[in-house]
Amino acid sequence: MWRICARHVLTLVTVFLAVPIVSCARLPHLQRDAIKPPTQLRYTNPTNASDPYSFGVANFQGDSTTFYFITISVDGHNLTVALDTGSSDLWINTAGIDFSNKVVNTNQNVSLLYADQSGVDGPILVGEVKIGDFVVDKQAFIAAAPNNATVGGYQGLLGLGPSANSRINELLANTTFNGAPLLQNVFSTYPNVSTFMTLQMNRSTYGISNGGAFTIGKVDPTYSEISNATRLPVLTGSAQWITVMDSVIINGKNMSGNGMLDNASVIASVPAKYQHKLVTLLDSGAALATGPPSYVDAIYGNLTGASLMEDTGGVYKLPCDTKINVSMVFAGVEYPVNPLDLITVDTDLDNVTVGCFSTIGYSPPETQTDWILGDAFLRNVYALFDYGSDEAEPFIQLHSTVDMNEAWSNFDFAATVRTTAFKSYVLGDNTTVPSPSIVSPSSVPTSANTNSDKDAIGALSESDGSDAARHDYNILMTNAWVIIGLLAFVIILLLVLIAMVILRGRQERRYTPLRNSGGAMEVAGYGSGKGSVYETPYDS
C-alpha cells in the first residue's frame, strides 16, 4: 500500500547507488464518495478448497477499489485483513472487540497517514496471532480505533513487506518487546518453513472471474514452474519489494530507459547490470499502477477517444471497449497484461456516471520509483516473494498466468459484462448480465491503435448515466431477439423442406418414415448444457 508516513523516508542503496524512497504512497486515482458499499464482504473460493488462509477478493466502488483478503485470528477473534506487499505492519480495527488479559499494551503509539488523507492510529499491542496453521504467541500489532482507512467492512491490513519498513519494529527496537512483522515471526517460530510467500490474484465481481491463491512456505502445485523462474534481485536497502524492470512492450514496440537510473547525476555510479532499467515496486495493496508519464502517455495517449483528465495524476478516460496490448519485461522475460487489466470501470467525479479509465497513472515524484505495479499487474502473474536469510539475499520470482491470444479474444465480451454489471450495481437495479459465450481465438494485433471492433454483443463505450445503462441493456436484448428470429426462420425453412419431401413421396406412391438422425446437436457437443465448459473463461 502506498502511503505517506510521517518522518519515515528510506534510502534505496545498490552497491554504488543511493536513491531516496518514500516508504509508502497510494495511487492518485479519482476521488469520490462511497457508492452503495456492500454491507458484507463477498468471498471467492480459493484455488485449493482446503486453503487455510481463506483467501478471497472483493470489490468496493468499482474495479479501482479491489482488495485481496485472508482471515487471521487475533486473541481468538477471526478477522478479515487485506494483504499488502507495500507495507510491513499489521493493524486491525478494534471496534467491538474485547481482548483477553493475555494481550499486552506496550505503551507505544503509532500513526500511519495515507496520501488520500485517510489513516490509522492507536497503541501497539502484543498477543497471539494465528495465520493459517501457524501460531505466533507474541505478535505486535496496532489496535486502530475506527478510522477512515477501511473500506466496505474489512477489519484491518496485514503488511507483507520486510521488517526494515515496519514502524512497529522501529518503535519497539529499544524495548523488551518483539516488533518484527508477522511473517518474519512465522519463519522464526517455524525454522523448517521456507522463507517465502506466494500470491496469485484473479479478478473479482466486476472483472468477471474470481479466486486465487496465497501460500506461506510452499508453492501452489498449479504453478510449480515458478521454481525455475529467474530470481529478480530485491534492491539492497529498499525495505520494500523493489526490483528492476527491463522495459515495457506497447503494441509491439519495446520502450526502455528514461527512468531514475538514467538520471545524469547518478548514471556514472549505476552498476552495469542496472543501467537503463526501471526501478519497480510490486505492491498488492494498490489496486492499480503508476509509471513514468512518457510510458503512460505512450500506452493511452494515442488511443481513439482517450482524454487525459485534469488533476487526477495522469489518469486517462477511455471508451470501455478500448483494447491494448502491453507486456512488462523482467530479466528478459515478457509478462503480458490482460487487456481487462489496462482499463478500469468506475464512476466519474459525479459519483453516478459510469465510465472507464486507465489503470496506470503517473508515478508521484515523492515515491521515488519509476513504476509501482499493483493488482492490475499482479493479477497476471504468480508471484513468489522470498525474504532471504543470513546467507541469502531476498528475491522475487514471477510466472506468467496469461494466454494473451485467449485474453485478447475474450476481451470484448468480458468488458461488456463487466461494465453492465457495474452499472447495475451503481443504479441498484436488476439489469441482467449476459452469460459467457464461446469466442473463437484470434491473433493479437500490434498496431499503434488497437481499439477493437464491436462484436455482435455490442461493446459498451463510456456511460452517460442510467439512461445509457438501460440503452445498452436494450441493445443486448435486441441482438438476442435477432438471433432468435434467425433461428426461427431456419426452423420454418426446414419444416417446409420436410413437407415437400413428404408430398413428393406420396405423389410417387412411396412411403418412407422419417428417422431420428441420432441427435445431431448432441453429436456436435451441444447437449451438455449451455456454457458448461466455459464457466470461468476469463481466469488469468
Side-chain angles (χ1 to χ4, degrees):
M1 182 171 290
W2 319 339
R3 352 174 256 200
I4 304 301
C5 300
R7 303 178 298 103
H8 199 50
V9 178
L10 302 175
T11 301
L12 168 63
V13 182
T14 63
V15 179
F16 302 101
L17 172 68
V19 179
I21 296 290
V22 175
S23 64
C24 358
R26 184 178 281 175
L27 175 68
H29 82 103
L30 303 180
Q31 298 294 318
R32 65 208 185 302
D33 297 328
I35 303 173
K36 302 176 183 176
T39 56
Q40 296 182 343
L41 299 177
R42 290 167 296 189
Y43 296 101
T44 63
N45 294 324
T47 300
N48 182 352
S50 62
D51 175 17
Y53 307 103
S54 300
F55 181 81
V57 55
N59 291 96
F60 307 113
Q61 306 173 18
D63 274 350
S64 64
T65 314
T66 300
F67 293 94
Y68 293 83
F69 300 93
I70 63 169
T71 299
I72 65 173
S73 172
V74 179
D75 190 42
H77 300 274
N78 290 331
L79 303 171
T80 302
V81 295
L83 296 174
D84 181 19
T85 61
S87 65
S88 301
D89 290 320
L90 169 64
W91 62 262
I92 61 172
N93 186 333
T94 55
I97 298 177
D98 293 321
F99 291 121
S100 71
N101 56 12
K102 295 180 181 179
V103 175
V104 178
N105 192 326
T106 66
N107 295 317
Q108 296 285 339
N109 285 269
V110 63
S111 296
L112 304 176
L113 177 64
Y114 297 101
D116 61 1
Q117 301 307 306
S118 66
V120 298
D121 60 83
I124 300 175
L125 307 183
V126 173
E128 181 189 82
V129 174
K130 295 180 181 180
I131 177 170
D133 298 326
F134 305 111
V135 180
V136 177
D137 290 332
K138 297 180 179 180
Q139 176 61 48
F141 60 92
I142 302 170
N147 59 78
N148 59 355
T150 55
V151 178
Y154 77 85
Q155 296 160 292
L157 180 143
L158 173 58
L160 299 172
S163 59
N165 195 26
S166 169
R167 287 284 285 133
I168 293 177
N169 197 45
E170 177 185 344
L171 290 172
L172 297 183
N174 297 319
T175 71
T176 59
F177 298 103
N178 171 21
L182 178 58
L183 258 62
Q184 293 199 229
N185 278 333
V186 167
F187 300 138
S188 298
T189 306
Y190 300 86
N192 294 328
V193 174
S194 298
T195 58
F196 67 80
M197 64 166 181
T198 74
L199 277 172
Q200 201 285 313
M201 310 169 79
N202 281 353
R203 289 167 201 86
S204 185
T205 309
Y206 307 120
I208 308 309
S209 64
N210 51 39
F214 173 74
T215 70
I216 296 175
K218 62 180 180 180
V219 170
D220 188 318
T222 306
Y223 308 107
S224 59
E225 299 95 332
I226 198 170
S227 299
N228 300 319
T230 300
R231 294 185 176 187
L232 305 177
V234 174
L235 298 188
T236 304
S238 67
Q240 291 178 290
W241 295 111
I242 294 178
T243 186
V244 288
M245 182 166 61
D246 297 353
S247 62
V248 180
I249 300 175
I250 305 169
N251 296 322
K253 296 181 179 180
N254 200 325
M255 187 172 180
S256 62
N258 295 317
M260 293 175 59
L261 302 184
D262 286 332
N263 189 292
S265 63
V266 299
I267 187 65
S269 60
V270 175
K273 63 181 179 179
Y274 294 131
Q275 288 182 2
H276 309 302
K277 295 186 184 293
L278 301 159
V279 178
T280 303
L281 167 65
L282 300 180
D283 186 0
S284 67
L288 307 180
T290 65
S294 58
Y295 285 79
V296 179
D297 294 342
I299 294 172
Y300 299 105
N302 296 321
L303 296 171
T304 302
S307 60
L308 181 62
M309 302 182 68
E310 295 182 0
D311 302 322
T312 58
V315 174
Y316 279 83
K317 189 170 185 178
L318 305 161
C320 288
D321 59 355
T322 301
K323 186 157 54 171
I324 319 168
N325 182 16
V326 172
S327 296
M328 307 298 178
V329 182
F330 291 88
V333 179
E334 185 176 340
Y335 296 90
V337 180
N338 190 312
L340 281 174
D341 292 317
L342 292 168
I343 65 171
T344 176
V345 59
D346 211 329
T347 53
D348 212 329
L349 298 178
D350 61 5
N351 300 320
V352 175
T353 304
V354 173
C356 290
F357 309 88
S358 63
T359 57
I360 307 175
Y362 297 160
S363 288
E366 62 269 18
T367 65
Q368 293 294 291
T369 58
D370 295 314
W371 283 87
I372 302 179
L373 296 179
D375 303 340
F377 170 75
L378 291 172
R379 277 192 288 269
N380 297 273
V381 297
Y382 182 55
L384 184 151
F385 301 86
D386 193 296
Y387 291 79
S389 63
D390 293 337
E391 296 78 27
E393 296 293 327
F395 62 86
I396 300 169
Q397 289 176 294
L398 301 175
H399 171 69
S400 177
T401 58
V402 175
D403 180 329
M404 194 58 174
N405 282 330
E406 180 182 357
W408 193 265
S409 297
N410 288 335
F411 173 83
D412 297 309
F413 191 87
T416 300
V417 174
R418 174 171 69 172
T419 308
T420 303
F422 186 60
K423 286 179 178 178
S424 176
Y425 166 70
V426 172
L427 297 173
D429 60 19
N430 294 316
T431 301
T432 301
V433 179
S435 300
S437 62
I438 299 172
V439 182
S440 301
S442 62
S443 60
V444 182
T446 58
S447 60
N449 187 340
T450 55
N451 280 2
S452 62
D453 293 331
K454 295 179 180 177
D455 62 2
I457 300 295
L460 299 177
S461 58
E462 53 197 317
S463 169
D464 290 323
S466 59
D467 290 339
R470 289 174 172 78
H471 172 69
D472 293 328
Y473 173 67
N474 290 335
I475 291 176
L476 294 174
M477 295 303 298
T478 299
N479 287 330
W481 284 114
V482 169
I483 294 173
I484 292 173
L486 290 173
L487 288 174
F489 174 77
V490 171
I491 292 172
I492 293 172
L493 181 60
L494 182 60
L495 291 174
V496 170
L497 291 175
I498 292 173
M500 292 176 63
V501 170
I502 294 173
L503 180 61
R504 181 176 179 181
R506 288 180 176 177
Q507 290 174 345
E508 295 179 1
R509 295 184 180 181
R510 296 189 187 127
Y511 175 72
T512 303
L514 293 174
R515 301 184 183 276
N516 191 311
S517 63
M521 292 296 284
E522 293 195 7
V523 172
Y526 293 92
S528 59
K530 182 179 178 181
S532 59
V533 186
Y534 297 91
E535 291 176 350
T536 55
Y538 308 114
D539 287 342
S540 52

